Amino acid sequence: MSALGTVTRPASDGAASALNVLRAGLESNRIADPCNIVFFGASGDLANRMLFPAIYNLRLEDILPTNFGVIGFSRTPENDDSFRANVKQSIDTYSRSGPARDPLWSDFARHLSYVTGDFSDSAAFADLKRRLEENDEHLGTAGNRLFYLSTPPQVFPKVVAALDAAKLGPRDNGRGWTRIIVEKPFGTDLDGARALQAEIVKVFEERHVYRIDHYLGKEPVQDIMALRFANVIFEPIWNRRYVDSIQITAAETVGVEGRGGYYENAGALRDMIQNHVLNLLALVAMEPPVSAGADSIRDEKFKVLSAVRLIAPEQTTKLTARGQYGPGLIEGKPVVGYREEPSVDPHSDTETYAAVKLLVDNWRWADVPFFLRSGKRLAHKNSEIAVRFRQIPHRLFGETGDAIDQNTLVMKIQPDEGVQIRFNAKVPGPKMHIRAVTMDFNYGTGFGTVSAPAYERLIGDAMRGDATLFTRWDAVERAWQIVMPVLNGWRDTPAPEFPNYLAGGQGPRTSDAMLIADGREWRRI
Ligand code: BG6
């Protein structure tokens, strides 16, 4: 072992590989089942930027077995060769492992094919069925099928119905498994989500449905459970007796990135809080699950979301804040305001920043405020959960004038990945001066490894049939119930003050005021 904490291990192929001591002895990747994955919306941005590179890297990492098929399905006319060229281009441009390389690429490309068609075109679905059966025969994909809905959301019900009509649903698959991954947004409001769910259940049972929230595929998000339930030192103080408040932040520097059309009908509350941020709240606030099984964890997440007190529409002014960015500077460069972005109404009322104060009405969390915020074009990219503990009960130390900070534990999700604890220490010297200091753990340097992108992890899990990191319908529905009163309250009170924060800033003043009224303040982004 070197002083840096690494051991050199002879790799099975005879080459020496350096392995971080913290990862020594770990079982290597679990291989997924042989299967076909069909990407609906294969010419879209998500497929090109995220999904194709993810599949290629799953193959590179030997998580995808040699018996696999990838079928792109979209309205854009392509043939197998042009589809392969597109996939190569997307890997060359976006893959974390660099450009596609032979011999892996040539072999990978053989497994790719394409079906052109409208999402309700029965002939195209018949063609898809034929391709799947051919792959089963020639590529050994064993009748296992994973359908990935990455089309615009209004098309989801059509694809589900067309799959059923083509006898491609799970009931008609006598050979292997059939699963469906549904991209977000799952509905644009509570009624829309219920309507979509009603279409899905006509064809798929809950165990076949994998609703993606890519935040759950991020390593530090999975580590929330490890921190809480693989340690004894945090859980005893993880409650209203010791916790003063919890802040959950998902701040971005990017604007709407050419997605103005989508974002105009979404806004920060639907786009980020309803899914990613409420999932973080559920993980940080839930009770210990009885096992690490998908349903035990999802039971607890649902339970705690059920305990979230709904905000009455008339309380939205007090318990929420919203904002929209005007022009400003991001990393020193001028950027336009939201209303000047392409495909955005110049008088738009859509919020690009949302903050809410929630209470969780149960024994563990009664009266502990959870402050949630998310926004675009803020000062820094920063997603984190900060647990702020109560003030010490009795002050012994500290020269007059020394502030004794409240302890804070921060789970850093991105761009830094790690855990930080802020506590008080004595300043060296003859007097008893107290100052806050920080203890930092960083995944990258700690484990000497770079986290795989969330989509890689999640697609691999769906292929293995592990639904732990996917959102169950009950939680999706509950999350919509939590945000609906706020959406309704905001709809009924227009926001004449928009734009109300500068791009590159900390968000709107009304958001700061919401915390000040509570005797607290936001952490700096
Ligand atoms: C998506 C939202 O779900 O998450 C985007 O639709 C947002 O608006 C993105 O930018 C943020 O994801 P990440 O992984 O970059 O934090």
Side-chain angles (χ1 to χ4, degrees):
M1 191 192 305
S2 80
L4 293 173
T6 57
V7 288
T8 303
R9 180 190 73 158
S12 48
D13 62 3
S17 73
L19 177 70
N20 181 287
V21 70
L22 293 179
R23 288 189 286 137
L26 293 181
E27 156 204 350
S28 60
N29 302 317
R30 289 178 303 144
I31 301 182
D33 292 347
C35 66
N36 277 297
I37 175 159
V38 179
F39 290 107
F40 292 102
S43 51
D45 195 51
L46 181 74
N48 281 291
R49 286 216 303 202
M50 302 284 183
L51 308 180
F52 298 147
I55 284 284
Y56 179 76
N57 285 313
L58 284 170
R59 183 67 206 102
L60 188 69
E61 304 270 330
D62 275 332
I63 294 173
L64 193 64
T66 46
N67 307 103
F68 74 97
V70 173
I71 304 179
F73 188 119
S74 184
R75 284 176 295 207
T76 312
E78 299 282 358
N79 58 37
D80 291 351
D81 285 339
S82 62
F83 176 59
R84 287 174 187 144
N86 291 348
V87 173
K88 179 159 188 322
Q89 164 113 46
S90 110
I91 295 164
D92 289 349
T93 316
Y94 299 112
S95 166
R96 70 183 170 104
S97 57
R101 280 190 304 259
D102 272 334
L104 184 76
W105 164 252
S106 308
D107 180 64
F108 185 82
R110 279 194 315 113
H111 298 246
L112 307 181
S113 52
Y114 189 83
V115 175
T116 306
D118 189 81
F119 295 111
S120 47
D121 170 1
S122 55
F125 279 78
D127 191 16
L128 173 62
K129 186 159 192 260
R130 189 178 51 77
R131 299 282 185 123
L132 287 165
E133 285 162 1
E134 274 170 19
N135 282 357
D136 287 344
E137 197 171 320
H138 302 302
L139 300 176
T141 43
N144 294 328
R145 291 154 188 184
L146 180 59
F147 297 114
Y148 197 125
L149 295 187
S150 66
T151 61
Q154 55 279 18
V155 182
F156 294 169
K158 275 192 192 171
V159 179
V160 170
L163 284 171
D164 192 32
K167 300 216 172 305
L168 282 169
R171 278 189 300 264
D172 293 307
N173 186 352
R175 246 190 110 185
W177 50 253
T178 302
R179 301 182 187 133
I180 189 163
I181 298 183
V182 187
E183 252 307 324
K184 73 175 269 272
F186 198 94
T188 51
D189 58 18
L190 180 59
D191 290 344
R194 283 179 173 155
L196 172 59
Q197 173 67 3
E199 293 306 314
I200 291 177
V201 297
K202 287 181 190 161
V203 185
F204 295 92
E205 292 169 35
E206 182 62 31
R207 66 195 167 93
H208 305 131
V209 185
Y210 292 69
R211 291 177 202 78
I212 260 197
D213 180 324
H214 79 279
Y215 257 59
L216 295 177
K218 293 180 191 278
E219 283 288 342
V221 173
Q222 294 162 50
D223 194 54
I224 298 169
M225 275 197 296
L227 181 98
R228 293 191 56 200
F229 305 128
N231 294 293
V232 78
I233 55 176
F234 302 116
E235 210 43 30
I237 54 170
W238 213 258
N239 57 53
R240 67 188 305 277
R241 234 177 125 187
Y242 297 97
V243 174
D244 166 85
S245 57
I246 295 186
Q247 291 189 15
I248 306 182
T249 300
E252 302 184 274
T253 50
V254 292
V256 284
E257 296 183 294
R259 295 159 74 222
Y262 152 77
Y263 202 82
E264 274 288 87
N265 296 313
L269 195 70
R270 286 186 170 92
D271 187 47
M272 296 288 290
I273 306 270
Q274 187 273 341
N275 37 74
H276 308 320
V277 180
L278 280 175
N279 256 316
L280 297 181
L281 179 146
L283 287 170
V284 86
M286 71 185 188
E287 294 301 312
V290 291
S291 79
D295 272 325
S296 300
I297 293 170
R298 298 191 303 173
D299 286 348
E300 295 307 331
K301 286 176 66 184
F302 173 65
K303 257 168 61 187
V304 76
L305 290 175
S306 307
V308 170
R309 188 186 303 176
L310 300 185
I311 293 177
E314 63 277 8
Q315 287 178 302
T316 45
T317 324
K318 198 169 149 222
L319 301 181
T320 74
R322 61 184 151 156
Q324 186 192 78
Y325 62 85
L329 295 176
I330 294 283
E331 282 152 16
K333 297 204 184 80
V335 295
V336 297
Y338 177 69
R339 290 177 178 181
E340 287 83 57
E341 299 273 13
S343 312
V344 169
D345 175 355
H347 305 287
S348 175
D349 262 356
T350 302
E351 84 285 357
T352 59
Y353 177 104
V356 289
K357 173 184 169 182
L358 294 177
L359 290 169
V360 177
D361 287 330
N362 64 15
W363 272 59
R364 188 190 282 262
W365 296 118
D367 301 325
V368 176
F370 285 71
F371 298 107
L372 279 42
R373 65 178 160 168
S374 178
K376 295 207 179 276
R377 289 283 191 231
L378 294 170
H380 296 105
K381 183 172 173 77
N382 177 19
S383 295
E384 63 168 39
I385 302 172
V387 180
R388 193 163 186 242
F389 293 91
R390 287 184 186 277
Q391 194 49 276
I392 49 167
H394 172 65
R395 181 176 169 134
L396 281 181
F397 312 113
E399 298 291 325
T400 321
D402 282 355
I404 300 209
D405 282 4
Q406 288 165 256
N407 301 143
T408 311
L409 183 151
V410 186
M411 288 161 265
K412 295 188 289 179
I413 295 164
Q414 61 185 17
D416 298 338
E417 304 185 336
V419 179
Q420 192 178 70
I421 298 180
R422 195 140 169 91
F423 62 102
N424 297 306
K426 177 185 175 299
V427 181
K431 292 198 170 168
M432 203 61 189
H433 276 299
I434 302 290
R435 285 281 182 283
V437 294
T438 301
M439 208 155 68
D440 238 322
F441 167 70
N442 179 297
Y443 283 100
T445 45
F447 288 102
T449 180
V450 179
S451 305
Y455 277 101
E456 245 174 85
R457 168 65 198 251
L458 295 171
I459 295 173
D461 280 4
M463 287 176 168
R464 284 188 287 258
D466 182 350
T468 312
L469 302 178
F470 294 84
T471 315
R472 210 167 57 187
W473 163 244
D474 52 3
V476 173
E477 184 181 40
R478 180 64 190 164
W480 276 119
Q481 285 168 342
I482 293 169
V483 299
M484 277 325 289
V486 181
L487 288 171
N488 293 338
W490 286 355
R491 185 201 53 211
D492 297 342
T493 47
E497 72 280 18
F498 278 8
N500 62 348
Y501 70 98
L502 290 180
Q506 294 285 320
R509 288 222 181 90
T510 45
S511 180
D512 295 335
M514 180 174 99
L515 265 77
I516 292 169
D518 220 74
R520 297 176 171 95
E521 62 182 32
W522 286 116
R523 288 167 54 79
R524 277 191 78 73
I525 287 170

